[in-house]
Amino acid sequence: MGAPKGNQFWKLRSKHGQDKLFASPKLLLDAAYEYFAWCDENPWMKKEQVKKPYEKKQGRGKVLVTMVDIPTQRPYSLSGLGIYCHVSERFILDFEKRLQEKGDEEAKGFLAVTTHIREVISTQQLEGATVGAFNANIVARKLGLTDKKDITTDGESLNKGYYDLLKQRKMKQSNQQ
């Protein structure tokens, strides 16, 4: 049995709509700093082969150690921040888009925080790649950094065959003489 027509039960609700994930820009920034601290405190463990194996006591016997865990820095990422906050990266991107459309003071505060978070993430990734902690190619792609080289054939089409280009160059040289 449904509610009677014309009822006003909705007015009895204690709240309307869904709670905000972050009530203020400061709470968002605090959550981001928590995530950054978590990344720093929980490095990835990389297995590396020992150059000179050694024996180690384990229980009553000994074991030959050939591999060791090396802690490596964990890169910050927007998707990692989303996972840490229990949301998707898409949610964060859509949140920023909605903030840009709003344009009020609260939205400007949130946008300043999200811009700062993006800058911290890209700086940490770039500096990590620079010192060799992260794969430079992956970081460059992730940050949109490219090294484009324009290879031309003196304005000629690249679709022509090699011998056609040689003929044309030879003809140009003979015409210039």
Side-chain angles (χ1 to χ4, degrees), residues 24-63:
S24 70
K26 184 184 180 331
L27 290 175
L28 174 59
L29 188 60
D30 290 345
Y33 284 153
E34 276 181 37
Y35 164 69
F36 299 149
W38 179 85
C39 286
D40 294 339
E41 293 163 3
N42 295 283
W44 284 106
M45 291 305 202
K46 182 174 153 184
K47 293 249 185 232
E48 283 199 11
Q49 191 166 6
V50 178
K51 291 180 182 172
K52 188 175 180 185
Y54 60 93
E55 288 186 350
K56 177 181 170 184
K57 280 189 177 182
Q58 185 173 16
R60 293 183 183 173
K62 293 181 181 178
V63 264

Side-chain angles (χ1 to χ4, degrees), residues 75-176:
Y76 304 160
S77 67
L78 199 58
S79 58
L81 174 63
I83 291 168
Y84 187 81
C85 295
H86 305 288
V87 297
S88 66
E89 184 177 6
R90 178 87 260 151
F91 175 86
I92 295 171
L93 297 172
D94 290 344
F95 177 65
E96 285 181 310
K97 189 175 180 182
R98 285 192 307 272
L99 290 172
Q100 289 170 349
E101 292 168 357
K102 265 186 168 182
D104 61 357
E105 288 304 311
E106 183 182 42
K108 287 178 184 174
F110 274 110
L111 280 172
V113 168
T114 58
T115 301
H116 175 68
I117 290 169
R118 284 180 176 278
E119 288 171 350
V120 169
I121 290 171
S122 62
T123 300
Q124 192 255 7
Q125 288 178 349
L126 186 62
E127 289 175 355
T130 303
V131 299
F134 308 141
N135 185 315
N137 290 328
I138 293 172
V139 170
R141 270 188 261 140
K142 186 84 173 151
L143 296 178
L145 306 173
T146 57
D147 184 20
K148 294 183 180 178
K149 293 182 181 175
D150 184 22
I151 300 172
T152 63
T153 56
D154 296 329
E156 300 295 326
S157 170
L158 288 175
N159 294 330
K160 292 185 178 181
Y162 177 72
Y163 293 109
D164 293 333
L165 289 173
L166 286 177
K167 263 191 213 176
Q168 286 181 347
R169 286 187 181 163
K170 207 173 203 182
M171 287 176 60
K172 282 183 185 178
Q173 289 174 352
S174 64
N175 287 343
Q176 290 175 355

Side-chain angles (χ1 to χ4, degrees), residues 1-10:
M1 177 170 145
K5 285 190 176 189
N7 73 69
Q8 301 285 314
F9 292 149
W10 61 272

